[in-house]
């Protein structure tokens, strides 16, 4: 045996050089050992709605959000939601790069290409060797608030964000520049605690930028960083069933600029708290067949002041708004899945100068889908939505019915998604 070891050592030295047989801790590090995984994902859809593109672009959830469907212009910048237009849509081409940097860090980058431009969706580094179950991430990333927020669009079970997410946080959720620290407890069951300090530039709920003229703004900028997030997540198995509950909390400055609204230009300045609770239960019948139930509840509390643009009027404003979604997805086999989702925003309490504003408070949407996966690199989804959450500028409820065929195709090496 000693002769074999000596022969192996001599052969390695002759073929690869003596450095190859040095102990690991004495070998030099070469980053060329870590070639990044690169993938490209294309998401496209064909949409047929019972409303024109112009009609849906002017619809809103009163007192909560507007611009949830369609293309919109904000100053010199154009913006479109996913599946924005009737007919064909290229939602995005997503370029993903990820790799180990060295023995201490990994790095990931996600870049979105669309007809409206190029955006850095995520770009962050993550530690791999901190002690005591700690992990640090810094850069731009999707927050771990809730269940679906950290997931990319191509991983969602439906073609758009749940209604409560879209209304409170927009189609990208909490996607911010900042730092994240997570702690994995040394228990037999999974328990993770996390905190995040973020810049706070979510246009739907949070924000730090000044509003108005740069030299004499109507609303001054808030201090940065302006958003703080915390959460607790756990998971445990009962036989072939995995149960994953979680609670989340976010609080930050709000600077919401609706100064370009045609009917009612206004702006809001204040502080906002966002509460979340999520539960996912997933049962596997075999390697490919499963039944998954996923739900999330969110409550938004806003306290600040609303300013009527172009006038001297303002009002002390409080908003208490809540909603949830609940979805059921059945994986029949390796290739076919089907599911249904119910969205509801059931609370919409708004007070201005201590006077209750008369607003509707029952916003719902029903969705059903069926998917075909020819392979793990391609997916085709047929989805139907019945959306009763939107109102026109005259305050009349609209019923938006949508039939959508979505294609999601990927090439290259793409890292695994969270369970």
């Amino acid at each position: 045996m000693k002769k074999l070891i000596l022969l192996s050592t001599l052969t390695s030295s002759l073929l690869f050089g003596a450095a190859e047989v040095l102990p690991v801790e004495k070998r030099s590090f070469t980053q060329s050992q870590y070639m990044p995984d690169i993938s490209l994902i294309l998401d496209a859809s064909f949409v047929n709605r019972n409303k024109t593109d112009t009609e849906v672009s002017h619809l809103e959830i009163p007192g909560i959000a507007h611009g949830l469907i369609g293309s919109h212009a904000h100053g010199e910048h154009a913006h479109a939601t996913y599946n924005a237009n009737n007919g064909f849509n290229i939602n995005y081409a997503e370029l993903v790069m990820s790799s180990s940097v060295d023995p201490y860090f990994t790095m990931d980058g996600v870049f979105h290409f669309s007809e409206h431009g190029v955006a850095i969706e995520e770009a962050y580094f993550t530690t791999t060797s901190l002690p005591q179950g700690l992990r640090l991430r810094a850069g731009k990333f999707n927050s771990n608030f809730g269940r679906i927020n950290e997931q990319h669009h191509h991983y969602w079970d439906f073609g758009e964000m749940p209604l409560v997410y879209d209304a409170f946080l927009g189609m990208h959720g909490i996607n911010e520049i900042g730092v994240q620290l997570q702690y994995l407890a040394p228990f037999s069951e999974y328990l993770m605690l996390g905190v995040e300090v973020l810049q706070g530039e979510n246009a739907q709920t949070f924000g730090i930028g000044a509003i108005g003229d740069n030299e004499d703004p109507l609303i001054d900028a808030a201090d940065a960083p302006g958003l703080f997030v915390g959460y607790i997540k756990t998971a445990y198995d009962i036989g072939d069933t995995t149960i994953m509950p979680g609670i989340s909390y976010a609080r930050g400055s709000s600077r919401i600029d609706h100064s370009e609204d045609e009917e009612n230009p206004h702006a809001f300045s204040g502080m906002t708290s966002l509460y979340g609770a999520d539960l996912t239960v997933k049962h596997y019948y075999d390697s490919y067949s499963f039944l998954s139930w996923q739900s999330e509840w969110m409550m938004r509390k806003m306290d600040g002041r609303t300013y009527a643009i172009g006038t001297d009027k303002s009002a002390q404003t409080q908003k208490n708004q809540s909603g949830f979604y609940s979805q059921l997805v059945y994986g029949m086999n390796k290739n076919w899945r089907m599911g249904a989702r119910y969205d509801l925003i059931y609370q919409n309490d708004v007070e201005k100068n201590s006077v209750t504003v008369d607003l509707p408070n029952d916003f719902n949407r029903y969705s059903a889908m069926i998917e075909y996966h020819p392979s793990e690199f391609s997916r085709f989804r047929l989805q139907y939505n019945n959306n009763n959450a939107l109102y026109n500028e005259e305050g009349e409820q609209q019923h938006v019915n949508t039939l959508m065929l979505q294609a999601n195709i990927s090439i290259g090496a793409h890292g695994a998604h969270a369970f």
Side-chain angles (χ1 to χ4, degrees):
M1 179 62 71
K2 291 182 179 180
K3 291 181 179 180
L4 288 175
I5 294 174
L6 178 60
L7 179 61
S8 175
T9 302
L10 290 172
T11 303
S12 298
S13 298
L14 290 171
L15 291 177
F16 305 108
E20 290 294 330
V21 298
L22 290 175
V24 172
E25 63 271 14
K26 294 184 179 180
R27 296 177 191 172
S28 61
F29 170 76
T30 304
Q31 195 171 32
S32 61
Q33 297 171 343
Y34 298 96
M35 295 300 293
D37 292 334
I38 301 175
S39 64
L40 181 66
I41 301 171
L42 172 67
D43 191 275
S45 61
F46 179 83
V47 173
N48 187 354
R49 291 193 183 93
N50 65 330
K51 302 287 185 181
T52 67
D53 295 341
T54 302
E55 287 179 299
V56 296
S57 67
H58 289 87
L59 300 182
E60 65 176 359
I61 302 179
I64 298 178
H66 72 287
L68 300 182
I69 303 177
S71 300
H72 310 273
H74 299 282
E76 299 178 354
H77 303 284
H79 168 77
T81 62
Y82 297 137
N83 315 302
N85 301 313
N86 278 301
F88 295 103
N89 296 269
I90 293 290
N91 294 316
Y92 56 83
E94 181 180 283
L95 179 65
V96 182
M97 303 179 68
S98 59
S99 176
S100 295
V101 176
D102 53 31
Y104 313 104
F105 301 98
T106 62
M107 186 170 180
D108 296 83
V110 181
F111 308 92
H112 263 209
F113 296 81
S114 73
E115 296 178 295
H116 300 278
V118 181
I120 300 176
E121 186 78 5
E122 295 190 278
Y124 57 84
F125 68 87
T126 307
T127 61
T128 58
S129 57
L130 289 183
Q132 307 299 322
L134 294 172
R135 191 192 76 173
L136 179 70
R137 175 171 291 176
K140 184 179 182 183
F141 52 87
N142 289 333
S143 169
N144 269 60
F145 181 99
R147 170 70 177 168
I148 203 174
N149 191 87
E150 67 171 317
Q151 299 173 358
H152 291 174
H153 175 256
H154 63 266
Y155 189 62
W156 297 348
D157 291 312
F158 293 82
E160 65 287 288
M161 268 282 200
L163 184 64
V164 67
Y165 262 101
D166 208 3
F168 289 176
L169 295 172
M171 59 183 276
H172 297 295
I174 302 178
N175 175 250
E176 295 275 354
I177 301 171
V179 295
Q180 174 192 83
L181 181 65
Q182 294 183 345
Y183 169 66
L184 184 61
F187 301 149
S188 57
E189 304 292 350
Y190 176 80
L191 177 64
M192 185 269 284
L193 292 78
V195 293
E196 299 170 358
V197 181
L198 307 172
Q199 190 72 358
E201 296 177 327
N202 177 276
Q204 204 83 320
T205 289
F206 302 104
I208 58 172
I211 299 175
D213 188 283
N214 291 332
E215 296 182 357
D216 185 22
L218 173 67
I219 301 173
D220 291 327
D223 293 334
L227 177 58
F228 304 89
V229 179
Y231 40 81
I232 302 173
K233 299 173 185 287
T234 186
Y236 54 92
D237 294 328
I238 301 177
D240 294 324
T241 302
T242 300
I243 301 173
M244 295 172 283
I247 57 173
S248 304
Y249 175 72
R251 181 169 175 80
S253 301
S254 292
R255 298 289 189 274
I256 301 175
D257 186 1
H258 290 166
S259 58
E260 296 183 7
D261 285 9
E262 296 178 1
E263 295 293 324
N264 180 31
H266 63 281
F268 175 84
S269 172
M271 295 292 294
T272 296
S273 293
L274 189 66
Y275 305 82
D278 60 274
L279 176 63
T280 300
V281 180
K282 195 167 187 177
H283 176 78
Y284 271 94
Y285 300 102
D286 55 43
S287 299
Y288 299 106
S289 180
F290 68 88
L291 183 66
S292 175
W293 174 57
Q294 179 175 310
S295 298
E296 291 193 60
W297 169 86
M298 293 170 64
M299 178 172 66
R300 181 172 74 170
K301 289 181 173 290
M302 309 182 76
D303 189 359
R305 199 161 194 88
T306 300
Y307 298 83
I309 303 298
T311 73
D312 295 329
K313 297 180 180 179
S314 65
Q316 189 66 32
T317 303
Q318 290 83 35
K319 295 185 178 184
N320 294 315
Q321 297 158 329
S322 303
F324 70 91
Y325 75 89
S326 186
Q327 66 182 49
L328 195 66
V329 176
Y330 173 51
M332 292 169 275
N333 51 46
K334 184 178 180 179
N335 302 109
W336 289 95
R337 299 196 312 164
M338 61 190 301
R341 184 170 74 190
Y342 175 63
D343 293 279
L344 178 66
I345 298 176
Y346 61 87
Q347 182 184 22
N348 187 23
D349 299 335
V350 178
E351 289 186 359
K352 292 186 176 181
N353 291 335
S354 300
V355 177
T356 300
V357 181
D358 185 18
L359 293 171
N361 59 3
D362 182 11
F363 310 103
N364 63 78
R365 182 177 66 187
Y366 302 84
S367 303
M369 68 84 179
I370 185 167
E371 286 182 356
Y372 175 61
H373 298 238
S375 73
E376 59 187 293
F377 304 103
S378 57
R379 178 181 65 193
F380 298 90
R381 175 191 292 134
L382 182 65
Q383 179 175 324
Y384 170 75
N385 291 341
N386 174 230
N387 191 341
N388 306 300
L390 301 174
Y391 287 68
N392 63 17
E393 293 167 339
E394 287 72 41
E396 301 167 334
Q397 185 181 28
Q398 304 295 295
H399 304 283
V400 182
N401 297 309
T402 304
L403 187 65
M404 177 182 67
L405 178 62
Q406 181 184 7
N408 192 278
I409 311 293
S410 66
I411 57 174
H414 188 80
H417 293 280
F419 180 74

